Amino acid sequence: MLSAETLAYAKSKIRDIPDFPTPGILFKDITPLLAEPRAFHIVLDSLAERFIGEHVDAVVGVEARGFIFGGALAARLNASFVPARKPGKLPAESDRVSYKTEYSTAELEMHKASIKKGGRVLVVDDVLATGGTARAAAELVTRQEGEVVAYAFVIELAFLGGRNVLAPGRVEHVISY
Ligand code: AMP
C-alpha cells in the first residue's frame, strides 16, 4: 500500500483546466503527472499492486490517454495490451459500439479476435466520468466472450456516479474527486 503522502504527491501533479473541451467541463489534465517520473511510477505501482497475483490475460486501454497507463500496466502485469480505438483507426476487421461521454457522443472499436474466449480482462482509462466510455469498452470485450474482471482508472470523478454505470463491476481508482 502506498502512503497517503505518496498519493497526495501524485494528485498534486494533476492540473485542472476549466472549460475544456467545452464550457462547464473541468478537465483533469494528466500531462504534468506524466512529466514527473516519480508521479507516473506512483500511479502505475498503485494500480499494479492491486492486480499482481491475480491472473489478468489482457489490459484494454481506451484511446488515447488509456493507452499511456494501460500499456505500461499491461507490461507490469505480464498481460497483453489491446487498444480500444476511435472509429476508422484499426486496420483489421473490428467491432464498433456507440456511447455517451460527459461532453459528447462517441464510438469505440476493437479488433475482432483480440480477446480470447473466457480471457480475464482489465479495462483501463485515465478518467472515470459518467462511465459510458468504460462500459462501451467492456461491451466490446464481452462480445468476444472475454470477462471484465475490473475497471481501473487513474482518476475517478466520484460526483458523476460513473461507478454505478459499471456496477456490479469492480472499479479501482488511484485518485478521487
Ligand atoms: P465518461 O465516458 O463520461 O466516463 O468519460 C470518460 C472519458 O472522457 C475518458 O476517456 C476521459 O479521458 C474523458 N474525460 C471525461 N471527463 C473528463 C474530465 N473532466 N477530465 C479529463 N478527461 C475527461
Side-chain angles (χ1 to χ4, degrees):
M1 276 289 279
L2 300 171
S3 70
E5 199 181 10
T6 302
L7 292 171
Y9 172 76
K11 191 170 185 174
S12 76
K13 299 298 169 193
I14 291 164
R15 176 165 62 181
D16 285 349
I17 310 282
D19 301 317
F20 183 87
T22 54
I25 298 294
L26 185 63
F27 191 86
K28 296 293 181 190
D29 178 18
I30 47 119
T31 61
L33 183 147
L34 298 174
E36 290 291 340
R38 182 174 166 233
F40 194 17
H41 271 297
I42 289 167
V43 165
L44 292 171
D45 288 347
S46 174
L47 289 174
E49 72 180 10
R50 303 168 204 215
F51 300 103
I52 284 170
E54 286 183 42
H55 184 85
V56 175
D57 293 299
V59 173
V60 168
V62 181
E63 184 170 1
R65 292 181 297 276
F67 290 0
I68 300 166
F69 298 99
L73 191 59
R76 287 192 178 199
L77 297 176
N78 207 27
S80 310
F81 177 76
V82 177
R85 298 210 62 177
K86 298 187 175 142
K89 302 279 188 185
L90 288 169
E93 210 190 333
S94 302
D95 276 333
R96 181 184 292 193
V97 288
S98 296
Y99 66 98
K100 279 189 171 176
T101 70
E102 190 184 358
Y103 43 72
S104 66
T105 306
E107 290 177 311
L108 273 186
E109 291 186 348
M110 191 182 290
H111 272 152
K112 287 188 173 169
S114 56
I115 306 285
K116 70 178 182 195
K117 194 174 170 180
R120 291 169 56 81
V121 177
L122 207 56
V123 172
V124 174
D125 205 353
D126 66 333
V127 173
L128 170 61
T130 63
T133 307
R135 190 175 58 180
E139 187 181 329
L140 290 167
V141 171
T142 50
R143 275 190 202 174
Q144 297 192 26
E145 297 181 63
E147 182 198 348
V148 176
V149 292
Y151 300 86
F153 303 94
V154 179
I155 298 165
E156 177 175 358
L157 302 179
F159 54 91
L160 291 173
R163 179 178 282 271
N164 303 327
V165 169
L166 305 177
R170 172 179 167 197
V171 177
E172 300 281 353
H173 69 260
V174 181
I175 292 156
S176 179
Y177 292 92

